[in-house]
Amino acid sequence: MLNSLRTAAVPDIADGLAVRRRVPVAVTAPDPISREGAVSQLRRHPEIELREQPAPDTVALLIETTLDEAALTRLRRIVRSEGSRAVVVVDAIRETELLDIVGCGIGAIVWRHEATAHRLVQAVLAAARGDGDLPADLLGRLISQVGAMHRGAAGRVGAPSLGLQPREVDVLRLVAEGLDTGEIASKLSYSERTVKNVIHGLTTRLHLRNRAHAVAYALREGYI
């Protein structure tokens, strides 16, 4: 019997039949109207399976007005302690909060004013795959901020090196440019499985949580 708790909305093969995996999603919001609005939008999509509480096999969709310390604490608990992947829907993010969010392991962020049903599902599916999904303006700010940190750290003696391999750098550079797995494979003449294995290998080796986290580390260390 097929396991109903699979966590990626992609085709699978079992007993010779193609089936579609559903992504378990738990919605958390500061007020019932926001929560019910997100639940209503997600409920119409067959690739989504709604759950009551975040768990290791779910994507947690967190709706926040501001990312104060209490909100960041909730994010850390859900991602680190409960093991969920997470999507954050928020009004705005200050520069000082950006690296904190990436450090929490959050790879998918949606601006609240852009949170249509299509946009929420897109972010949820990306999080379930372990991909990053950031608004273009936010990705630019992240790159600028991490680049500034790297320049400020340049010249320090004894700074640790990540020891990234050349093909890992090639893959991460394309991830930073916003390419998905298939596009990266085409650019580098790799199979999609190879690209996934490269990313899985470096995130596991370096204890990184997702692609966005890996890009941030590579930028900070000056690899890209």
Side-chain angles (χ1 to χ4, degrees):
M1 185 173 66
L2 293 177
N3 184 351
S4 63
L5 303 185
R6 299 178 183 226
T7 58
V10 296
D12 191 17
I13 303 296
D15 298 327
L17 298 175
V19 297
R20 189 173 181 81
R21 300 177 182 180
R22 301 179 70 198
V23 178
V25 179
V27 179
T28 301
D31 60 88
I33 292 177
S34 295
R35 184 182 185 280
E36 288 306 312
V39 166
S40 177
Q41 293 201 70
L42 294 173
R43 185 179 286 125
R44 301 195 297 269
H45 291 265
E47 61 266 55
I48 302 298
E49 178 185 341
L50 290 165
R51 299 281 185 85
E52 287 299 319
Q53 297 293 332
D57 66 330
T58 66
V59 173
L61 179 68
L62 300 111
I63 302 171
E64 300 287 351
T65 304
T66 59
L67 290 174
D68 54 17
E69 189 54 43
L72 289 173
T73 298
R74 286 194 295 274
L75 294 180
R76 294 187 189 101
R77 184 190 72 248
I78 288 172
V79 175
R80 295 179 180 176
S81 300
E82 298 178 11
S84 297
R85 298 184 187 274
V87 176
V88 174
V89 180
V90 67
D91 289 329
I93 296 174
R94 294 190 297 266
E95 297 291 337
T96 54
E97 297 165 341
L98 196 47
L99 285 181
D100 284 338
I101 295 169
V102 174
C104 286
I106 307 299
I109 299 171
V110 177
W111 294 132
R112 195 160 180 162
H113 67 273
E114 297 178 349
T116 62
H118 172 76
R119 185 70 187 89
L120 290 178
V121 171
Q122 181 184 50
V124 164
L125 297 184
R129 295 190 302 267
D131 292 346
D133 188 348
L134 303 180
D137 59 326
L138 195 59
L139 181 59
R141 285 164 55 189
L142 177 61
I143 291 172
S144 296
Q145 187 172 350
V146 177
M149 289 177 58
H150 172 67
R151 290 191 295 273
R156 286 191 314 193
V157 176
S161 170
L162 293 180
L164 291 179
Q165 301 170 8
R167 73 174 184 172
E168 292 175 337
V169 175
D170 291 340
V171 169
L172 286 180
R173 185 176 290 114
L174 295 177
V175 171
E177 292 177 6
L179 276 65
D180 62 24
T181 300
E183 292 168 329
I184 294 170
S186 178
K187 283 270 190 182
L188 299 178
S189 299
Y190 292 161
S191 69
E192 291 191 22
R193 180 180 294 276
T194 296
V195 173
K196 291 176 181 178
N197 286 343
V198 169
I199 293 171
H200 176 74
L202 72 92
T203 53
T204 301
R205 187 176 79 250
L206 302 173
H207 306 291
L208 305 172
R209 297 189 177 276
N210 50 45
R211 295 186 182 199
H213 200 186
V215 168
Y217 267 75
L219 282 164
R220 187 172 64 186
E221 295 294 325
Y223 282 95
I224 59 177

